[in-house]
Amino acid sequence: MKYFIKKFNDRNIHSKLVFSFFVAVIIPLLIVGFYLTHELRTKALNDAITESSANIERVKKRTAETLESAIYVANNLTLDQQLKELVNTRYTTRQQVVEAYRGYTAFKTSLNNFNELSNIRLYVDNPTMLNNWEFMPADDSIKNTFWYKSADKANGLNGWFYMPDETKKSRKYLSLVRKINYFDYKTSTILVIDVNTDNLNTILNQESSPIMIVDDNNNVVVSNRKSFIGKKLDHIIKTDQRLIGNKGSIRGKVNGQQSEIVVDLLLPDTSLNELKFVSVIPNDTILADANNFVYLGATVIFISLVIAVILIYLFSQLISHRIVTLSNQINVVAEGNLDEVIHVEGSDEIGLLSNQLNRMVKNIKDLITELEKMHLEKNILEKRQQEMKLKMMASQINPHFLFNALESIRMKAHIKGEKEISSVVKQLGKL
């Protein structure tokens, strides 16, 4: 930490200001931008899931109404006394069977009254009856099918299976399968009612997003995407989450596209198993509008960043320029030029510092002037003192000079024999 503080302190003011503005403005701006973008994408995702759930609920309701027709017909056929007598009679001739079939029209009437249904057939264990594609023998191959075994165990509950119809070239339909027990005869039959696929397709084709109806064995029964029909759900959706039995939203890939998968369940009345409704929402579709907002937000953020950088540069340049100006003027003063006026515009801290430095320089100049004056006065005083010393020395030197001169004259006169002159000069020297 100390290392970074030292590095920061070693940088110039301009760099510090740019860094400070960057930390204080740009980083929060980016954080806010990314947060709003994330929230926008999340909201778009939630809205898409909510809308998809509403679509599934609408499809589920209309599908349930379609299935109710099959359940209604199955209930009527279960209680049909004529059907009960027909399948439990032991016929002796082919003609009796044909006459019995001709007199029973409930299947045809139901198909005519309910366009939601495609076909009705009954699997019977009566060797005296003929196969007319409505009444069909329950041979071993039929009894070993998964739907027959499930219906047999369900004992009266409706089972919904995606299964082939032998009467229509083994084309597969979503079918209601129910065991009808005739306790008086200790016999039973298996009723199969095919739901009209076209009717279900009409319901699903009104939806724009891929949507599927999936049976209990994970088979795609109906879809508004033809390529999905008949496939296993886990072959279409690649996900780490459990698809079977789930209700809610999961994430996975469909045709290589990351998607949100919304799952809902429908358990029709008196039914053994449930149907699954699966809606696929590709992320590209979910985030199409969100991405437009994201791009717009990114553009606004980018423009804001550019403006912020320009403003940061200008303001930092303005502040650092004043500080650099102040520093340069201080350097000039430091070199000894006390006549330089430190002037920085503004009345902020930098301006106040400039004024204070000017006052300090003025005080230094006044102090230097006063010191020079004091130094000059001191020199004058010293000069006068030297002159006085010279005068004092001169006053000492002159009497000696005169005495020596007079003594020399006296000696000269004495040598010449001028005693009177020698005596007078001697008296004068003593004086």
Side-chain angles (χ1 to χ4, degrees):
M1 190 65 177
K2 291 182 179 179
Y3 173 79
F4 290 106
I5 293 175
K6 182 179 182 301
K7 285 292 183 183
F8 182 79
N9 291 335
D10 291 341
R11 306 294 296 176
N12 57 48
I13 292 295
H14 184 265
S15 299
K16 290 178 182 178
L17 289 173
V18 170
F19 178 77
S20 299
F21 282 130
F22 183 85
V23 172
V25 176
I26 295 181
I27 291 180
L29 182 62
L30 290 175
I31 292 174
V32 171
F34 285 123
Y35 173 77
L36 291 178
T37 300
H38 177 267
E39 288 299 309
L40 185 61
R41 290 171 66 90
T42 303
K43 185 178 184 302
L45 178 61
N46 292 336
D47 290 345
I49 292 175
T50 301
E51 182 180 357
S52 181
S53 299
N55 293 341
I56 285 183
E57 189 63 32
R58 181 173 59 252
V59 169
K60 187 172 76 168
K61 183 177 179 180
R62 294 187 62 187
T63 302
E65 292 173 354
T66 299
L67 301 185
E68 283 295 330
S69 299
I71 296 172
Y72 175 79
V73 171
N75 290 338
N76 287 341
L77 293 177
T78 300
L79 302 175
D80 190 340
Q81 291 297 320
Q82 184 182 358
L83 178 63
K84 177 180 177 181
E85 294 297 330
L86 189 153
V87 299
N88 287 289
T89 299
R90 296 294 171 172
Y91 302 96
T92 57
T93 65
R94 183 183 295 268
Q95 184 62 32
Q96 289 179 337
V97 178
V98 172
E99 290 296 330
Y101 287 173
R102 190 176 296 166
Y104 187 76
T105 60
F107 288 0
K108 291 183 177 64
T109 302
S110 297
L111 292 175
N112 291 332
N113 292 337
F114 298 96
N115 61 1
E116 296 92 347
L117 308 181
S118 176
N119 191 26
I120 301 174
R121 59 193 185 276
L122 192 69
Y123 291 90
V124 298
D125 193 8
N126 185 346
T128 65
M129 295 180 68
L130 302 175
N131 184 352
N132 70 339
W133 298 116
E134 289 184 350
F135 297 93
M136 303 179 66
D139 55 25
D140 290 340
S141 62
I142 296 296
K143 291 181 179 179
N144 287 327
T145 58
F146 72 93
W147 53 267
Y148 192 98
K149 291 179 179 179
S150 297
D152 189 45
K153 291 179 182 179
N155 201 25
L157 292 177
N158 299 320
W160 299 94
F161 303 105
Y162 186 56
M163 52 182 286
D165 186 348
E166 305 97 311
T167 68
K168 296 185 177 181
K169 299 181 180 180
S170 294
R171 179 183 173 183
K172 289 187 174 182
Y173 291 85
L174 175 63
S175 303
L176 179 152
V177 182
R178 179 193 285 186
K179 181 179 181 181
I180 302 177
N181 292 305
Y182 299 114
F183 298 105
D184 296 344
Y185 296 95
K186 296 182 180 180
T187 60
S188 64
T189 59
I190 299 296
L191 174 67
V192 177
I193 302 177
D194 295 338
V195 178
N196 190 342
T197 303
D198 294 336
N199 190 276
L200 295 176
N201 284 332
T202 301
I203 297 173
L204 269 61
N205 285 333
Q206 295 177 7
E207 306 300 324
S208 58
S209 298
I211 189 168
M212 298 167 273
I213 299 177
V214 183
D215 73 356
D216 197 41
N217 293 317
N218 227 25
N219 296 307
V220 178
V221 176
V222 188
S223 175
N224 56 357
R225 299 294 187 271
K226 290 184 178 180
S227 59
F228 293 169
I229 298 174
K231 293 183 178 179
K232 291 287 187 180
L233 187 61
D234 52 6
H235 292 169
I236 299 172
I237 299 173
K238 305 299 181 183
T239 179
D240 296 332
Q241 297 172 268
R242 188 169 178 265
L243 282 170
I244 301 174
N246 276 351
K247 179 179 179 180
S249 174
I250 61 175
R251 292 183 179 180
K253 283 187 177 182
V254 178
N255 294 332
Q257 272 190 317
Q258 194 68 35
S259 306
E260 291 291 327
I261 297 100
V262 181
V263 182
D264 202 351
L265 305 175
L266 171 64
L267 181 64
D269 294 337
T270 63
S271 295
L272 170 68
N273 56 350
E274 57 194 6
L275 296 174
K276 189 186 287 93
F277 292 79
V278 181
S279 176
V280 177
I281 320 166
N283 281 2
D284 292 343
T285 303
I286 296 174
L287 302 176
D289 293 335
N291 286 335
N292 291 334
F293 285 109
V294 169
Y295 296 143
L296 178 62
T299 302
V300 172
I301 291 173
F302 177 76
I303 294 173
S304 301
L305 288 176
V306 172
I307 295 174
V309 169
I310 294 173
L311 292 177
I312 286 171
Y313 178 81
L314 292 177
F315 281 113
S316 62
Q317 188 69 21
L318 179 63
I319 296 173
S320 63
H321 175 72
R322 297 173 69 215
I323 295 176
V324 170
T325 301
L326 178 62
S327 176
N328 292 335
Q329 291 177 344
I330 290 175
N331 289 335
V332 172
V333 173
E335 292 175 358
N337 186 2
L338 298 180
D339 293 328
E340 180 74 16
V341 178
I342 300 174
H343 178 69
V344 178
E345 294 181 356
S347 57
D348 58 356
E349 289 80 357
I350 299 176
L352 293 175
L353 180 60
S354 172
N355 295 332
Q356 291 171 356
L357 287 172
N358 281 327
R359 285 198 296 270
M360 184 182 72
V361 171
K362 182 177 180 301
N363 291 336
I364 292 174
K365 285 177 64 178
D366 293 343
L367 182 60
I368 291 174
T369 301
E370 186 177 348
L371 288 174
E372 288 177 346
K373 183 178 179 182
M374 291 176 62
H375 184 67
L376 180 60
E377 291 177 351
K378 181 179 179 182
N379 288 340
I380 293 173
L381 180 61
E382 289 178 350
K383 186 176 180 182
R384 288 178 178 175
Q385 289 176 347
Q386 289 177 356
E387 289 177 352
M388 289 179 64
K389 287 180 180 179
L390 289 173
K391 289 180 179 180
M392 290 178 65
M393 289 177 66
S395 65
Q396 292 177 356
I397 291 172
N398 289 336
H400 288 288
F401 176 76
L402 290 175
F403 178 77
N404 290 336
L406 290 174
E407 185 65 20
S408 297
I409 294 172
R410 187 188 70 79
M411 289 297 295
K412 194 76 172 174
H414 181 71
I415 292 172
K416 295 290 186 179
E418 297 291 337
K419 295 183 178 179
E420 185 178 355
I421 295 172
S422 173
S423 177
V424 173
V425 172
K426 182 180 180 182
Q427 292 300 321
L428 182 60
K430 288 182 178 180
L431 178 64

